[in-house]
């Protein structure tokens, strides 16, 4: 497949709201998605994901900026002439056509010969495991099967870029997981550039080479799932991706890749690549993931169990630590000591698991 990179250069979209005010739904977004890469736009409702995707597809005009597919500036290219296809949340299959007829619909319009048509369609039917369903009508298919047909219909067009806007949100939780694995498998097999919109962090983490976190029309951070989870650049991101505890602290020392911070008379040492971006005296938050907290009889700090719940695979605690309530998750609790509500405990953190972000 002839996939292409996609570059967004300073793209902005202004809408006029009910009061006649201009609102920037997308605000100066810069982003490059490499050829064959799977990128996900992730962020809360209203942050501008769909608007960004619609500008890439050509359904929405840009207020400012440029969009490139490979070397070509497509800003003024009509949607139906752009080399991309969008898969929607509602599969929008034609109810009176069979699976096979639905899949070839777009190709029929292109007036391909029968042999050319077969050459394109048969491999897609095979890759999407739709052979047994080819003569069925859409109402004889489950939601997941219908979404597979919608994906097949997009793939036979052999676009350079495949766009998805929350394609799985109509499916139940279990099917969502199966389908997202399917989408990833197919994307890798055909090597197509994919841009996927979701507000579901686990979907983004499992699918993407690159996650683009958006907030209020802007990009907040770009990185792999691991980079964003382990080294979030803001309080918003730490909270949005996974769960996080925050210790309000003050920077007391800045070294080249390490910070010392004071949290309520406790000194914490934090390894941090971008340490130099912080200043002594600055108010910050130390981010601690629930699974990075060790609870034991002897450790660095004193805390108290406020809540203790056995969840089978984990023990979940709420710990009071100098005025902050920390959520802690301990794996395999049956193998170790379990602390009860009201007990004093020792708390420690692996230094490598601590991370500092500016106070919001
Ligand atoms: N046609 C429009 N006219 C006016 N405002 C719009 C229009 N389309 C979108 N907006 C506004 O732009 C902002 C971004 O909307 P967008 O649909 O891109 O968000 P989203 O991130 O896709 O959200 P969701 O997760 O809810 O789908 C919102 O504040 C929305 O109200
Ligand atoms: Mg949307």
């Amino acid at each position: 497949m002839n996939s292409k990179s996609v570059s967004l250069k300073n793209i902005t979209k202004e809408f006029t709201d009910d009061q006649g005010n201009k609102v920037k739904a997308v605000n100066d977004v810069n982003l490059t998605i490499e050829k064959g890469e799977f990128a996900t736009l992730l962020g809360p409702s209203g942050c501008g994901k769909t608007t960004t995707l619609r500008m890439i597809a050509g359904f929405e005009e840009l207020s400012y900026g440029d969009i490139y597919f490979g070397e070509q500036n497509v800003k003024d290219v009509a949607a139906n002439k752009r080399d991309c296809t969008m898969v929607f949340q509602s599969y929008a299959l034609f109810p009176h056509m069979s699976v096979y007829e639905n899949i070839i619909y777009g190709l029929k319009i292109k007036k391909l010969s029968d042999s050319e048509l077969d050459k394109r369609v048969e491999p897609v039917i095979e890759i999407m495991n739709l052979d047994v369903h080819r003569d069925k009508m859409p109402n004889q298919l489950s939601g997941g099967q219908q979404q597979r047909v919608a994906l097949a219909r997009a793939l036979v067009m052999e676009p350079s870029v495949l766009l998805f806007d929350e394609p799985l949100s109509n499916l139940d939780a279990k099917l969502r997981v199966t389908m997202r694995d399917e989408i990833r498998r197919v994307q890798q097999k055909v090597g197509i550039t994919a841009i996927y919109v979701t507000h579901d962090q686990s979907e983004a983490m499992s699918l993407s080479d690159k996650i683009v976190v958006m907030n209020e029309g802007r990009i907040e951070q770009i990185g792999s799932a691991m980079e964003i989870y382990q080294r979030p650049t803001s309080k918003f991101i730490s909270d949005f991706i996974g769960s996080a505890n925050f210790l309000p602290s003050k920077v007391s020392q800045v070294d080249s890749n390490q910070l010392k911070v004071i949290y309520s008379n406790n000194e914490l040492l934090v390894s941090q690549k971008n340490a130099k971006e912080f200043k002594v005296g600055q108010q910050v938050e130390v981010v601690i993931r629930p699974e990075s907290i060790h609870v034991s009889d002897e450790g660095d700090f004193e805390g108290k169990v406020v809540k203790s719940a056995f969840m089978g695979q984990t023990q979940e605690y709420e710990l009071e630590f100098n005025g902050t309530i920390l959520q802690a998750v301990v794996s395999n609790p049956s193998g170790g000591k379990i602390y009860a509500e009201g007990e004093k405990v020792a708390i420690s953190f692996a230094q490598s698991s601590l991370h500092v972000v500016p106070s919001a």
Side-chain angles (χ1 to χ4, degrees):
M1 199 160 281
N2 179 30
S3 70
K4 283 186 186 150
S5 64
V6 175
S7 288
L8 314 180
K9 308 252 189 227
N10 308 101
I11 67 166
T12 296
K13 181 68 192 184
E14 280 180 352
F15 288 115
T16 309
D17 69 11
D18 301 341
Q19 280 81 45
N21 301 314
K22 286 197 168 166
V23 185
K24 284 186 175 154
V26 177
N27 193 351
D28 198 27
V29 161
N30 284 285
L31 173 67
T32 296
I33 297 138
E34 306 298 339
K35 224 171 121 153
E37 198 170 36
F38 198 117
T40 299
L41 309 182
L42 173 68
S45 184
C47 73
K49 305 178 297 291
T50 294
T51 306
T52 304
L53 203 68
R54 288 172 56 80
M55 286 193 282
I56 298 170
F59 300 146
E60 202 81 72
E61 268 186 46
L62 281 71
S63 304
Y64 308 103
D66 290 291
I67 296 179
Y68 291 85
F69 283 9
E71 301 293 306
Q72 188 198 4
N73 189 336
V74 297
K75 187 170 74 169
D76 298 319
V77 177
N80 60 353
K81 296 279 188 297
R82 278 189 204 186
D83 199 0
C84 64
T85 310
M86 181 117 119
V87 181
F88 297 93
Q89 181 184 103
S90 58
Y91 337 115
L93 300 180
F94 297 112
H96 58 286
M97 291 182 190
S98 70
V99 165
Y100 184 77
E101 287 165 339
N102 264 284
I103 295 173
I104 65 166
Y105 181 80
L107 291 177
K108 278 272 187 205
I109 290 173
K110 287 194 161 189
K111 300 203 177 7
L112 293 190
S113 71
D114 282 354
S115 68
E116 270 178 298
L117 200 122
D118 273 353
K119 228 167 46 196
R120 281 226 205 167
V121 176
E122 292 311 318
V124 172
I125 287 185
E126 193 189 315
I127 210 175
M128 295 308 305
N129 296 321
L130 283 170
D131 197 34
V132 291
H133 302 302
R134 68 162 72 213
D135 297 323
K136 290 187 185 161
M137 302 304 278
N139 67 5
Q140 294 173 295
L141 301 178
S142 70
Q145 289 160 347
Q146 289 185 47
Q147 192 54 289
R148 264 162 42 206
V149 177
L151 186 53
R153 190 174 56 177
L155 285 172
V156 293
M157 302 309 287
E158 301 189 353
S160 297
V161 181
L162 204 48
L163 307 173
F164 297 91
D165 193 358
E166 312 237 9
L168 307 182
S169 43
N170 284 343
L171 305 178
D172 67 50
K174 211 168 163 191
L175 199 51
R176 287 176 74 120
V177 174
T178 317
M179 275 306 292
R180 76 180 188 211
D181 293 346
E182 185 95 329
I183 287 176
R184 182 62 170 158
R185 176 183 70 81
V186 171
Q187 183 268 340
Q188 294 205 308
K189 188 149 184 189
V190 299
I192 194 168
T193 308
I195 309 177
Y196 190 99
V197 161
T198 183
H199 59 260
D200 179 331
Q201 52 148 322
S202 59
E203 217 165 274
M205 291 177 92
S206 66
L207 278 168
S208 321
D209 299 310
K210 184 185 266 175
I211 297 178
V212 180
V213 187
M214 293 185 69
N215 188 25
E216 296 180 355
R218 289 181 179 276
I219 293 181
E220 285 240 354
Q221 189 169 0
I222 302 174
S224 68
M226 200 186 266
E227 279 162 358
I228 289 179
Y229 187 79
Q230 292 180 341
R231 296 192 294 280
T233 52
S234 67
K235 196 175 175 190
F236 165 80
I237 293 190
S238 330
D239 217 16
F240 193 73
I241 313 285
S243 33
N245 297 292
F246 298 101
L247 295 178
S249 310
K250 201 172 205 168
V251 176
S252 63
Q253 194 180 316
V254 176
D255 295 320
S256 56
N257 45 22
Q258 181 172 288
L259 294 168
K260 255 186 209 154
V261 302
I262 308 290
Y263 162 68
S264 168
N265 296 329
N266 303 289
E267 189 173 77
L268 297 167
L269 206 57
V270 182
S271 314
Q272 183 124 343
K273 280 208 182 100
N274 66 341
K276 290 284 187 198
E277 292 171 21
F278 295 89
K279 292 188 172 53
V280 171
Q282 187 180 343
Q283 217 43 62
V284 292
E285 307 278 343
V286 177
V287 181
I288 308 171
R289 299 294 182 186
E291 70 275 16
S292 306
I293 299 177
H294 303 296
V295 188
S296 53
D297 290 339
E298 280 178 41
D300 301 336
F301 307 104
E302 222 175 73
K304 190 175 157 190
V305 178
V306 179
K307 209 172 142 192
S308 178
F310 179 72
M311 306 297 288
Q313 291 182 339
T314 57
Q315 184 77 21
E316 296 188 5
Y317 293 109
E318 282 182 21
L319 307 168
E320 201 270 334
F321 174 38
N322 287 144
T324 301
I325 301 292
L326 298 176
Q327 312 286 333
V329 175
V330 178
S331 311
N332 187 23
S334 310
K337 186 166 173 184
I338 290 177
Y339 297 89
E341 237 168 79
E343 271 191 271
K344 282 217 161 73
V345 289
I347 299 175
S348 22
F349 318 110
Q351 197 200 332
S352 61
S353 68
L354 300 181
H355 185 79
V356 168
V357 295
S359 287

